Amino acid sequence: MSGCPYFEKRHLLFKNKPPKAEEDEDASQAGVNKASKGGIIYGDYLQLDKIVSAQVLQSEVKGNKIHDEHLFIVTHQAYELWFKQILFELDSVRHIFISGHVRDERNMLKVNTRIHRIVMIFRLLVDQFAVLETMTALDFFDFREYLSPASGFQSLQFRLLENKIGVPDNLRVPYNRRHYRDNFKGSDSEMLLATEQEPTLLKLVEEWLERTPGLEVDGFNFWERLQINIFDGLNQEKERIEKMPDSEEKEEMTAELVKQREIFTSLFDEKRHDHLMSKGERRLSYKALQGALMIYFYREEPRFQVPFQLLTSLMDIDTLMTKWRYNHVCMVHRMIGSKAGTGGSSGYHYLRSTVSDRYKVFVDLFNLATFLVPRSWMPKLNPNVDTFLYMAECCDSSYCSSEDSD
Amino acid sequence: MSGCPYFEKRHLLFKNKPPKAEEDEDASQAGVNKASKGGIIYGDYLQLDKIVSAQVLQSEVKGNKIHDEHLFIVTHQAYELWFKQILFELDSVRHIFISGHVRDERNMLKVNTRIHRIVMIFRLLVDQFAVLETMTALDFFDFREYLSPASGFQSLQFRLLENKIGVPDNLRVPYNRRHYRDNFKGSDSEMLLATEQEPTLLKLVEEWLERTPGLEVDGFNFWERLQINIFDGLNQEKERIEKMPDSEEKEEMTAELVKQREIFTSLFDEKRHDHLMSKGERRLSYKALQGALMIYFYREEPRFQVPFQLLTSLMDIDTLMTKWRYNHVCMVHRMIGSKAGTGGSSGYHYLRSTVSDRYKVFVDLFNLATFLVPRSWMPKLNPNVDTFLYMAECCDSSYCSSEDSD
Amino acid sequence: MSGCPYFEKRHLLFKNKPPKAEEDEDASQAGVNKASKGGIIYGDYLQLDKIVSAQVLQSEVKGNKIHDEHLFIVTHQAYELWFKQILFELDSVRHIFISGHVRDERNMLKVNTRIHRIVMIFRLLVDQFAVLETMTALDFFDFREYLSPASGFQSLQFRLLENKIGVPDNLRVPYNRRHYRDNFKGSDSEMLLATEQEPTLLKLVEEWLERTPGLEVDGFNFWERLQINIFDGLNQEKERIEKMPDSEEKEEMTAELVKQREIFTSLFDEKRHDHLMSKGERRLSYKALQGALMIYFYREEPRFQVPFQLLTSLMDIDTLMTKWRYNHVCMVHRMIGSKAGTGGSSGYHYLRSTVSDRYKVFVDLFNLATFLVPRSWMPKLNPNVDTFLYMAECCDSSYCSSEDSD
Amino acid sequence: MSGCPYFEKRHLLFKNKPPKAEEDEDASQAGVNKASKGGIIYGDYLQLDKIVSAQVLQSEVKGNKIHDEHLFIVTHQAYELWFKQILFELDSVRHIFISGHVRDERNMLKVNTRIHRIVMIFRLLVDQFAVLETMTALDFFDFREYLSPASGFQSLQFRLLENKIGVPDNLRVPYNRRHYRDNFKGSDSEMLLATEQEPTLLKLVEEWLERTPGLEVDGFNFWERLQINIFDGLNQEKERIEKMPDSEEKEEMTAELVKQREIFTSLFDEKRHDHLMSKGERRLSYKALQGALMIYFYREEPRFQVPFQLLTSLMDIDTLMTKWRYNHVCMVHRMIGSKAGTGGSSGYHYLRSTVSDRYKVFVDLFNLATFLVPRSWMPKLNPNVDTFLYMAECCDSSYCSSEDSD
């Protein structure tokens, strides 16, 4: 970056000494020596020779250079760069969960920060379409034939990203009746298969939600107490309404009450939950759903403030991915039209179909909004007893060791 | 991009045949054959092997991997990718001017579109700071020592960009008393020197403005007519004010009138203009300034609508570059503090000093706002005579040849 | 705005004298006198007493003040303020078209600028959701009952805006089987009905496109020449392919050719066009479609540069309105869930259904991307003959009179 | 909002019963009755009659309607609407601090959420300039005279906002040698004076930071332990360097060490701190600074995660306000030029001078970046002893009572 003093000649003395043995000391010395004799320079550090030499226009190769192809390439490369960063953050968060480091609450800051960073990157990626939209359909037409048969369906990183977050194979919309993995071969295909089998972010969050303190049946027993309160509340409403004189309003309220009772009956019906899961309409286990609702209701408890932020950020990611898909659709419509009337499946219509709740991984977190209740119906906390303590299972280790979770 | 049907198997038949001879036909055939046997695929097209393998963390190399360094690298690489694109657009626009293709007005759409694209990219780059700002000063501290002595001052592309737009060498703020080019060596340094000597965008726009139709002394003679009208207007104002009864308001208006007369006297004083130019307070020639003001005043004439948009976009670029600089300063303040009290020049303070009108290349276009006059003072057009015709000097050539300006 | 020197005590002498008679002079004098004795101050100018006193929380009225309702109100008021601005721009543009002022090409700058301003406002409105999204479903739940039965379906300005742009009544998705106008009564309902009958922006643009110079059958005769060129081109392709040795590629190309011929046959089939129009799949007349395609193809001609920008901005508006709708859907999903399983039509699902091409007014401009052809197939211009002249029907009048179009 | 189902006829039964007596029950019934008979409708709820009727163009009043004045008015009204919202959030946060509710950690979620909301609003306000920038200097010139002497300096809400956050009177840049409060009279002036005397957000955060657990001299005693560690660290560095053979590098490192020692000596020098405070270069008390640094260093401790986010958001506000000021400056430059050469103080130059660290309220939080140290220098926590417990002073009360802090 221009004159960025980040890179300024820095406190050579402040070594973050790697927590290793003597010889490392020497290694870092070597580093210092090298630095003072030149060390690494900006362009080498960023490997700019690779980055800024990677724009080869197919139209030029084929003898008919079209100016706008350069923008097309750079935009896609920028997308892929940021996908790499998202995957990096995603993997580090998944590692914190998988390794169990998440049980040390100190690591929640990291989890939250990195998930939030993914949110910020997606926000940029959504905006980034505005740049590519400076290219018109006519500019694009001039070179699009040269790209054949390269296809965005072949973006390995985007598919990895979907898999690692938790887009399930069986909910994907097929394109031209082909499985998405058929666009890849060899090691790429294997990588994709592997990510389908590894724990997804969804799965890891589910396990974490299932451990939400307060769910213990022999403890606070949130779920049972909530069920009792809700049906008590509904019954009181019923009595209140029945005492009202007959009126249109009374009828409306009665009908509404019936609807509400149905909704809440369904909430406490584990079998129905499992049925919805089997259809892909719910994604979180019954227990995890309970944890999420508990965090929603007690979000102001110190213990739940950061978890609540995490759930919010996960919805942000879902929303932004879906906005990204939608912006993509809009641009495609502009670039190639809908090809109405041509017969044959259209890329435009395929893409539109992916802007759907099927692709919302954390759809349950959104749908919990259906199950909100007045604060007075929430099971009361007894502040002397019901303290949801922090867990710090690794707390025998020194502070810095929590760093290892990277 | 995910499932981007841009890349869909395309109308193999629609060849934009390069305007070349028979053998090219064969070459393009070859292309087709290759395509149907596999052709180019997404990852190869974008050279993703280079792009997504170029993230080497110095902290990891030195045995103490710090997570956030990855974001730092990717963000800077994304900046450099977009700088490459800006340079590409900038060079193409400069080529259109230098080659004289700009005299064929058909090329103005291209000039405008590409300058506007630069605007849109800078808008993205300004927003992009939000991503890097998810890294705190403390995260940065953990790895910044490893970067030494790499420095953003070493961003070749940013310096090229400044030079090609027209940041003049003698107005640059020195950093640690060193010339900016001292941060570069060998071919990089030579490239920079070359761009200092090539025609800048500022220079090319200046020449174009000097040719604004309507400036001809033996024609519409805009400048003289404007001068007459303005001083007539001021004189009428003076008379009007003098007739008013004495009052505080009259005094104010008289004082204001004196000030206005001074401003406009200065506008028509070529020597003063040259003096301001020598100090760097003005950058456009006297004649070019006249052209710009003329375009401002008659912007609704069909002939001037697109030129007016161009002037607006040039101001956008200046504004956005300066916002970019300012956002950069803000982030640096966050990351390393102002180091108040340490003595020694601080990167923060250096960067602040570059957020200055010295670095605004098209500062004259902004300052023309000082010289606006009521519409009634503008020299009248006689629509039967004063038609500012389009120029299409190359119009003997076929339509497509205007494409050559790329 | 803080210390905004816009409002600085200004050149009292520079009166934009209204182009009226003597007595106006006096009126403006009065203005000056008033100004110097105090004149208008910021808060009065902006009527801030109204603006910042208009936030009455229903939750507070009903005895249970909920903090976040304030944000809810302010956000919606900000939306309505901007809707007012959009309507203002839209009406002025429609007026320029309706009054025929658009035939004076000098007014195209105004049209373009104002349409572009609408684009910029919609861009802001899309981003504005990020502010309301700082409210969670739980915060919203605390006060949403107090709002009943107020409904966003009752936003008069938004419906006016849709009507004036050109969302046709018969393509609207009904909500709960009710006509959209049933949400309004009295003068509001009449206003809506009136806008359904007035010329929409779509209609006005259509008429303007039909007048595109070059369409004249006894002149350049674009459409016939294009048809000839396209079918010549397709025939040559056919011959070329037939000469190829048999191969999978040849088969593919043949199939593709058949498809292309179908597409272009449909393009030149006026009956089919009328059929598609009757179904709402096309919205522009056959002639207007020709004009749009002509502007696309010859966009670099000075005469067509600004019209081309206009078409691009119209697509921008469509795209942004649809993004606005989609962002709205996303937020609603967050706030109230999808209510899957409750039976009864859901607001979420209704809103989703409006994010559809049915609501894209200028859908034809997008779909023209289907009918692009190689530049070499475009009818050639003879620069000595085929100059598409500017029209300035009002050009006998003085320059300033073009201002009247406001 | 269009078809916003937020407002959908809602669960009439879910009353958030105000925590009052029987008669309230009846009141809410009344509400229900009213609702079912019509209740409040959208336009009335938002008081749109006030909002969308408040656009009176001065140019029209004075007989020369200028189209773009409408945009000017609406933009400023939108700014003022959002300023109202910011003030509302700011006051609620200040109330939580002043009332002592902040000592119940459950309220930190609220504080954080609302401060974050202010951040999001400012982000929108920064972007909002893009809309006003669709007006050119020439459009503005046509009506700016009519605004005199209205001035953005007269924005009461912006000044209140500055005061409540903590811009101190004595650091304000005077404009035309007048005190900022002279632009206001009567009750407005008194309101401003009052806010200068009330506790600012800065002051309240300072007091909260001073209570940071771990600062107790008879407890963890962070400050003393940090001082010891740092100087031990510096001494070890010194020894290490002295053992190195003479070299340029050794000299550099020695010089750097001297500089570092100076920096840290200054950190632990309370008198110097007080001196810097008296000059306005520091704003937080010595104790508060210690608290902030402690939160920085131990930000991963569960107890400090949310406080750390708060400090980050406070810096965000500062940064965004300063970006807002800078964007404002940029626009003013465009609209009225810099008026170089006119003599008399220029609004442009005044505004530029406010884009300064003098106006950064939380400047100390930025500058703490100067005092970072390697993690190994940080005083170690003993996890068995040094647990920074949550405070919930009001925890005897029921959960819901924490709601009262509104």
Side-chain angles (χ1 to χ4, degrees), chain D residues 350-368:
Chain D
Y350 162 74
L351 283 177
R352 271 206 78 99
S353 71
T354 71
V355 185
S356 129
D357 287 355
R358 295 161 75 111
Y359 281 77
K360 266 192 185 163
V361 171
F362 295 97
V363 67
D364 294 346
L365 299 180
F366 294 87
N367 286 336
L368 282 183

mmCIF file of all heavy atoms in Angstrom, chain D residues 350-368:
data_model
loop_
_atom_site.group_PDB
_atom_site.id
_atom_site.type_symbol
_atom_site.label_atom_id
_atom_site.label_comp_id
_atom_site.label_asym_id
_atom_site.label_seq_id
_atom_site.Cartn_x
_atom_site.Cartn_y
_atom_site.Cartn_z
ATOM 1 N N TYR D 350 -11.968 26.185 7.001
ATOM 2 C CA TYR D 350 -12.432 25.920 8.367
ATOM 3 C C TYR D 350 -12.746 24.437 8.531
ATOM 4 O O TYR D 350 -12.294 23.777 9.463
ATOM 5 C CB TYR D 350 -13.679 26.759 8.691
ATOM 6 C CG TYR D 350 -14.412 26.208 9.874
ATOM 7 C CD1 TYR D 350 -13.911 26.378 11.172
ATOM 8 C CD2 TYR D 350 -15.581 25.472 9.724
ATOM 9 C CE1 TYR D 350 -14.563 25.836 12.261
ATOM 10 C CE2 TYR D 350 -16.237 24.915 10.809
ATOM 11 C CZ TYR D 350 -15.728 25.097 12.072
ATOM 12 O OH TYR D 350 -16.362 24.544 13.154
ATOM 13 N N LEU D 351 -13.534 23.907 7.605
ATOM 14 C CA LEU D 351 -13.941 22.512 7.727
ATOM 15 C C LEU D 351 -12.741 21.578 7.698
ATOM 16 O O LEU D 351 -12.675 20.613 8.442
ATOM 17 C CB LEU D 351 -14.924 22.149 6.611
ATOM 18 C CG LEU D 351 -16.344 22.651 6.822
ATOM 19 C CD1 LEU D 351 -17.214 22.295 5.629
ATOM 20 C CD2 LEU D 351 -16.952 22.079 8.098
ATOM 21 N N ARG D 352 -11.804 21.888 6.828
ATOM 22 C CA ARG D 352 -10.580 21.060 6.791
ATOM 23 C C ARG D 352 -9.943 20.983 8.161
ATOM 24 O O ARG D 352 -9.428 19.950 8.567
ATOM 25 C CB ARG D 352 -9.551 21.652 5.823
ATOM 26 C CG ARG D 352 -9.674 21.188 4.398
ATOM 27 C CD ARG D 352 -8.334 21.269 3.684
ATOM 28 N NE ARG D 352 -7.494 20.148 4.070
ATOM 29 C CZ ARG D 352 -7.341 19.043 3.350
ATOM 30 N NH1 ARG D 352 -7.919 18.933 2.197
ATOM 31 N NH2 ARG D 352 -6.588 18.058 3.780
ATOM 32 N N SER D 353 -9.939 22.106 8.864
ATOM 33 C CA SER D 353 -9.244 22.153 10.146
ATOM 34 C C SER D 353 -9.957 21.318 11.209
ATOM 35 O O SER D 353 -9.369 20.975 12.223
ATOM 36 C CB SER D 353 -9.098 23.601 10.621
ATOM 37 O OG SER D 353 -10.360 24.091 11.017
ATOM 38 N N THR D 354 -11.240 20.991 10.960
ATOM 39 C CA THR D 354 -11.932 20.153 11.946
ATOM 40 C C THR D 354 -11.675 18.671 11.715
ATOM 41 O O THR D 354 -12.072 17.840 12.521
ATOM 42 C CB THR D 354 -13.468 20.391 11.928
ATOM 43 O OG1 THR D 354 -14.016 19.846 10.727
ATOM 44 C CG2 THR D 354 -13.807 21.866 12.020
ATOM 45 N N VAL D 355 -11.069 18.347 10.572
ATOM 46 C CA VAL D 355 -10.690 16.949 10.329
ATOM 47 C C VAL D 355 -9.338 16.745 10.985
ATOM 48 O O VAL D 355 -8.314 16.644 10.335
ATOM 49 C CB VAL D 355 -10.607 16.643 8.820
ATOM 50 C CG1 VAL D 355 -10.331 15.162 8.606
ATOM 51 C CG2 VAL D 355 -11.881 17.044 8.122
ATOM 52 N N SER D 356 -9.360 16.708 12.287
ATOM 53 C CA SER D 356 -8.094 16.740 13.011
ATOM 54 C C SER D 356 -8.217 15.896 14.266
ATOM 55 O O SER D 356 -9.326 15.616 14.735
ATOM 56 C CB SER D 356 -7.784 18.197 13.358
ATOM 57 O OG SER D 356 -7.479 18.352 14.705
ATOM 58 N N ASP D 357 -7.084 15.484 14.797
ATOM 59 C CA ASP D 357 -7.140 14.672 16.005
ATOM 60 C C ASP D 357 -7.736 15.439 17.182
ATOM 61 O O ASP D 357 -8.143 14.829 18.168
ATOM 62 C CB ASP D 357 -5.732 14.155 16.358
ATOM 63 C CG ASP D 357 -5.306 13.063 15.380
ATOM 64 O OD1 ASP D 357 -6.122 12.666 14.533
ATOM 65 O OD2 ASP D 357 -4.159 12.613 15.468
ATOM 66 N N ARG D 358 -7.790 16.766 17.074
ATOM 67 C CA ARG D 358 -8.445 17.540 18.141
ATOM 68 C C ARG D 358 -9.885 17.104 18.306
ATOM 69 O O ARG D 358 -10.445 17.182 19.384
ATOM 70 C CB ARG D 358 -8.470 19.035 17.785
ATOM 71 C CG ARG D 358 -7.131 19.680 17.710
ATOM 72 C CD ARG D 358 -7.233 20.973 16.920
ATOM 73 N NE ARG D 358 -7.869 22.020 17.700
ATOM 74 C CZ ARG D 358 -7.246 23.093 18.156
ATOM 75 N NH1 ARG D 358 -5.954 23.253 17.916
ATOM 76 N NH2 ARG D 358 -7.888 24.012 18.843
ATOM 77 N N TYR D 359 -10.497 16.687 17.222
ATOM 78 C CA TYR D 359 -11.907 16.301 17.262
ATOM 79 C C TYR D 359 -12.088 14.797 17.484
ATOM 80 O O TYR D 359 -13.201 14.307 17.470
ATOM 81 C CB TYR D 359 -12.614 16.751 15.979
ATOM 82 C CG TYR D 359 -12.969 18.217 15.990
ATOM 83 C CD1 TYR D 359 -12.014 19.201 15.766
ATOM 84 C CD2 TYR D 359 -14.272 18.632 16.263
ATOM 85 C CE1 TYR D 359 -12.340 20.549 15.787
ATOM 86 C CE2 TYR D 359 -14.611 19.973 16.288
ATOM 87 C CZ TYR D 359 -13.646 20.934 16.049
ATOM 88 O OH TYR D 359 -13.976 22.263 16.084
ATOM 89 N N LYS D 360 -10.989 14.091 17.651
ATOM 90 C CA LYS D 360 -11.117 12.668 17.972
ATOM 91 C C LYS D 360 -11.233 12.539 19.481
ATOM 92 O O LYS D 360 -10.270 12.762 20.209
ATOM 93 C CB LYS D 360 -9.906 11.891 17.458
ATOM 94 C CG LYS D 360 -10.100 11.293 16.084
ATOM 95 C CD LYS D 360 -8.982 10.302 15.753
ATOM 96 C CE LYS D 360 -9.127 9.804 14.313
ATOM 97 N NZ LYS D 360 -7.888 9.184 13.826
ATOM 98 N N VAL D 361 -12.400 12.139 19.924
ATOM 99 C CA VAL D 361 -12.671 12.120 21.361
ATOM 100 C C VAL D 361 -11.901 11.001 22.038
ATOM 101 O O VAL D 361 -11.326 11.185 23.115
ATOM 102 C CB VAL D 361 -14.190 11.959 21.591
ATOM 103 C CG1 VAL D 361 -14.483 11.727 23.057
ATOM 104 C CG2 VAL D 361 -14.925 13.189 21.072
ATOM 105 N N PHE D 362 -11.837 9.841 21.413
ATOM 106 C CA PHE D 362 -11.211 8.689 22.039
ATOM 107 C C PHE D 362 -9.793 8.478 21.499
ATOM 108 O O PHE D 362 -9.335 7.358 21.335
ATOM 109 C CB PHE D 362 -12.088 7.452 21.852
ATOM 110 C CG PHE D 362 -13.408 7.582 22.562
ATOM 111 C CD1 PHE D 362 -14.553 7.985 21.886
ATOM 112 C CD2 PHE D 362 -13.491 7.349 23.928
ATOM 113 C CE1 PHE D 362 -15.763 8.139 22.548
ATOM 114 C CE2 PHE D 362 -14.701 7.494 24.608
ATOM 115 C CZ PHE D 362 -15.841 7.898 23.912
ATOM 116 N N VAL D 363 -9.138 9.589 21.250
ATOM 117 C CA VAL D 363 -7.800 9.548 20.644
ATOM 118 C C VAL D 363 -6.836 8.681 21.457
ATOM 119 O O VAL D 363 -5.956 8.024 20.912
ATOM 120 C CB VAL D 363 -7.268 10.991 20.439
ATOM 121 C CG1 VAL D 363 -7.014 11.675 21.763
ATOM 122 C CG2 VAL D 363 -6.039 10.998 19.543
ATOM 123 N N ASP D 364 -7.028 8.638 22.788
ATOM 124 C CA ASP D 364 -6.133 7.829 23.620
ATOM 125 C C ASP D 364 -6.195 6.351 23.264
ATOM 126 O O ASP D 364 -5.194 5.640 23.357
ATOM 127 C CB ASP D 364 -6.498 7.988 25.099
ATOM 128 C CG ASP D 364 -6.239 9.397 25.599
ATOM 129 O OD1 ASP D 364 -5.553 10.160 24.897
ATOM 130 O OD2 ASP D 364 -6.736 9.737 26.690
ATOM 131 N N LEU D 365 -7.390 5.899 22.874
ATOM 132 C CA LEU D 365 -7.526 4.475 22.541
ATOM 133 C C LEU D 365 -6.705 4.136 21.299
ATOM 134 O O LEU D 365 -6.138 3.051 21.195
ATOM 135 C CB LEU D 365 -9.000 4.114 22.322
ATOM 136 C CG LEU D 365 -9.912 4.326 23.542
ATOM 137 C CD1 LEU D 365 -11.348 3.926 23.196
ATOM 138 C CD2 LEU D 365 -9.432 3.529 24.747
ATOM 139 N N PHE D 366 -6.648 5.080 20.370
ATOM 140 C CA PHE D 366 -5.793 4.882 19.200
ATOM 141 C C PHE D 366 -4.326 4.877 19.620
ATOM 142 O O PHE D 366 -3.553 4.026 19.225
ATOM 143 C CB PHE D 366 -6.005 5.996 18.174
ATOM 144 C CG PHE D 366 -7.360 6.008 17.545
ATOM 145 C CD1 PHE D 366 -8.426 6.676 18.140
ATOM 146 C CD2 PHE D 366 -7.587 5.334 16.356
ATOM 147 C CE1 PHE D 366 -9.683 6.687 17.556
ATOM 148 C CE2 PHE D 366 -8.848 5.344 15.761
ATOM 149 C CZ PHE D 366 -9.903 6.021 16.367
ATOM 150 N N ASN D 367 -3.981 5.859 20.426
ATOM 151 C CA ASN D 367 -2.569 6.037 20.730
ATOM 152 C C ASN D 367 -1.996 4.950 21.629
ATOM 153 O O ASN D 367 -0.789 4.784 21.716
ATOM 154 C CB ASN D 367 -2.335 7.424 21.320
ATOM 155 C CG ASN D 367 -2.440 8.488 20.232
ATOM 156 O OD1 ASN D 367 -2.236 8.194 19.045
ATOM 157 N ND2 ASN D 367 -2.790 9.699 20.608
ATOM 158 N N LEU D 368 -2.884 4.184 22.259
ATOM 159 C CA LEU D 368 -2.377 3.060 23.053
ATOM 160 C C LEU D 368 -1.592 2.074 22.188
ATOM 161 O O LEU D 368 -0.778 1.316 22.703
ATOM 162 C CB LEU D 368 -3.528 2.334 23.753
ATOM 163 C CG LEU D 368 -4.085 3.026 25.003
ATOM 164 C CD1 LEU D 368 -5.167 2.167 25.631
ATOM 165 C CD2 LEU D 368 -2.976 3.305 26.013
#
